[in-house]
Amino acid sequence: MYARRRRAYFLLMGGCLFLFVSAWSFVRLWSVEAAVALCVVAMVIPPVAAMVANRRGPDDRWWDDPSGDRKSDEWWDELDGKPRRED
């Protein structure tokens, strides 16, 4: 699951880099307005890539799920102010 998200992130960021470089390498020779439009599209991609890379999958452990290590879970529960679990 992490590899799939990492691959999607790098594809999106690679596309962003391609748009930006191509806009000012050769698209500007035909149309500066089109180059600026490509840069605007490239500007939107990094936040989307970050959301894709950091989204929680259905099998991902969430931050407050018990880890299975009893001592660690008790320690985190104490820090969070949660009542002690009775197993």
Side-chain angles (χ1 to χ4, degrees), residues 7-77:
R7 186 174 28 243
Y9 175 80
F10 284 118
L11 283 173
L12 284 168
M13 291 305 289
C16 174
L17 189 60
F18 174 76
L19 286 174
F20 185 76
V21 170
S22 66
W24 296 113
S25 294
F26 56 86
V27 174
R28 70 175 169 86
L29 300 174
W30 288 283
S31 170
V32 173
E33 292 84 10
V36 171
L38 284 177
C39 285
V40 169
V41 171
M43 181 180 69
V44 174
I45 294 175
V48 172
M51 287 185 270
V52 166
N54 291 313
R55 75 172 183 250
R56 178 183 175 204
D59 297 332
D60 289 347
R61 185 177 165 273
W62 195 234
W63 66 275
D64 60 349
D65 286 344
S67 66
D69 179 14
R70 183 182 177 106
K71 189 169 186 156
S72 174
D73 290 339
E74 288 175 1
W75 185 76
W76 282 107
D77 287 346

